[in-house]
């Protein structure tokens, strides 16, 4: 195992230091568990998963081998400073406050180190083949969708690390959402209709539905509709068109409620369950998160930093029970709880304000073109998806988010009439 781990690190470092484009593709492949056949998380030393953590360290080390250093892309410095500040603060705070040891704080920070790919992309921006990167994301997303469909056709050939028995879990459906917006850019830019691109987009939407992350699916669909119809060819917001779309939507919903038996009653029951806390999923989440909210209320402003489950602090909050979900502060399906635990209201507010200022560049007239607008629609959904899935603090949100942000940075200065406004 040690030999394989060293080989994995060595190969990643050689790519990171000498072949930036190859390293980025390798990094994305690793995040997909190498298309479901090899999982870097299986590299465990002393009971600690070190595969992905080491990969992120290789990305950081590779930065210092940048040849012919040039000025970094405009607006990328602020993001790099934010990432560095989050990592330093998250590790230092529990140490200074005697919540945990240095080793425990570093181990607990490993998920946040995925932000290293932000820095790597910005530092090596002039060595990245953006068109190849986009084609790669599309290809991976199509591959994921095929795997979802295999569950119904030929489940025996589903890759082992995607096979959940009665379901398929790819890493990650957020790549599918990103690929959908990349296809929508081409559909909107090209003058002639391409039924092939429409077909791929519909196919990927099917994959997103089968992935069963409803918040991501709904927000992607909403963003796609707004991107295609709310902004004209001149990128001006069309109020009248939105009013017409809303009218059509209300009409269609009304017909569905009238003619589909049981739909109205089902919706009413669901809403009532949520409002009166009778929904099983929500009530269970509230129960599991109670000790986290107790902890947040004790450190509202500054949070705790990165807290390992074996730290002495956890003894004050750990509840009785056998669920691993209740043994640690880190939580994947309550994103804002996770942020508040780590950085408090102050740190969370700063992080979201800075990141989303750049994430929303496509909505600013100064930076708006079809490409930046689509990427901003992709990134703005994070604000909503994060309620049920931690996209700001885990790799499934950080990596595709970094790619979308990198595309914005690369295309932020291109104007609508620029002949370079294309992706492929």
């Amino acid at each position: 195992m040690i030999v394989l781990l060293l080989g994995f690190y060595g190969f990643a470092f050689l790519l990171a230091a000498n072949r930036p484009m190859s390293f980025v593709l390798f990094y994305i492949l690793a995040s997909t568990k190498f298309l479901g056949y090899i999982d870097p998380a299986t590299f465990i030393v002393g009971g600690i998963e070190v595969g992905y953590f080491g990969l992120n360290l290789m990305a950081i080390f590779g930065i210092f081998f940048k040849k012919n250093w040039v000025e970094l892309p405009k607006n990328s410095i602020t993001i790099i400073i934010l990432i560095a500040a989050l990592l330093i603060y998250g590790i230092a705070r529990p140490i200074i406050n005697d919540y945990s040891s240095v080793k425990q704080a570093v181990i607990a920070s490993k998920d946040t180190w995925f932000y290293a790919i932000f820095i790597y992309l910005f530092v090596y921006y002039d060595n990245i083949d953006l068109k190849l990167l986009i084609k790669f994301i599309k290809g991976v997303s199509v591959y994921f969708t095929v795997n979802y469909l295999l569950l119904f056709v030929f489940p025996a050939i589903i890759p082992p690390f995607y096979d959940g028995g009665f379901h398929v879990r790819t890493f990650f459906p957020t790549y599918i959402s990103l690929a959908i917006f990349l296809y929508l850019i081409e559909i909107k830019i090209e003058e002639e209709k391409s039924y092939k691109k429409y077909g791929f987009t519909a196919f990927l939407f099917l994959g997103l539905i089968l992935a069963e992350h409803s918040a991501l699916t709904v927000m992607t669909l909403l963003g796609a509709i707004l991107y295609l119809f709310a902004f004209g060819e001149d990128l001006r917001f069309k109020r009248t068109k939105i009013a017409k779309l809303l009218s059509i939507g209300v009409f269609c919903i009304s017909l569905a409620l009238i003619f589909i038996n049981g739909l109205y009653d089902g919706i009413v029951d669901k809403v009532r369950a949520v409002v009166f806390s009778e929904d099983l999923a929500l009530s269970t989440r509230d129960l599991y998160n109670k000790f986290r909210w107790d902890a947040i209320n004790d450190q509202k402003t500054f949070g705790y930093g990165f807290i390992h489950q074996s730290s002495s602090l956890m003894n004050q909050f750990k509840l009785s029970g056998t669920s691993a979900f209740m043994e640690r502060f880190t939580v994947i399906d309550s994103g804002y709880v996770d942020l508040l635990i780590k950085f408090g209201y102050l740190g969370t507010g700063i992080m979201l304000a800075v990141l989303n200022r750049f994430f929303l560049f496509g909505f600013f007239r100064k930076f708006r073109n079809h490409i930046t607008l689509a990427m901003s629609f992709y990134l703005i959904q994070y604000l909503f998806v994060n309620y049920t899935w931690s996209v700001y603090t885990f790799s499934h949100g950080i990596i595709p988010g970094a790619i979308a942000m990198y595309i914005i940075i690369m295309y932020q200065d291109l104007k609508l009439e620029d002949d370079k406004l294309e992706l492929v």
Side-chain angles (χ1 to χ4, degrees), residues 348-365:
T348 297
I350 292 173
M351 177 183 177
L352 293 179
V354 173
L355 280 181
N356 285 292
R357 176 178 178 270
F358 293 96
F359 284 0
L360 303 183
F361 263 16
F363 296 105
F364 301 161
R365 184 166 296 278

Side-chain angles (χ1 to χ4, degrees), residues 28 31-32 137 141 144 171-179 399-400 403:
I28 295 171
S31 74
T32 71
I137 293 297
S141 300
F144 287 168
F171 296 82
F172 307 101
T174 38
Y175 284 128
I176 298 179
S177 177
L178 177 58
I399 301 172
I403 295 169

Side-chain angles (χ1 to χ4, degrees), residues 9-10 12-18 23 53-67 69 113 116-117 119-120 123-124:
Y9 283 172
F13 177 71
L14 288 174
L15 292 179
N18 299 288
F23 175 74
F53 183 66
L55 180 65
N56 287 317
L57 287 182
M58 296 306 106
I60 295 296
F61 293 154
I63 290 169
F64 299 102
F65 288 81
K66 165 74 174 179
K67 298 177 181 178
W69 273 82
W113 280 93
I117 194 62
I119 302 175
Y120 190 87
V123 169
Y124 281 103

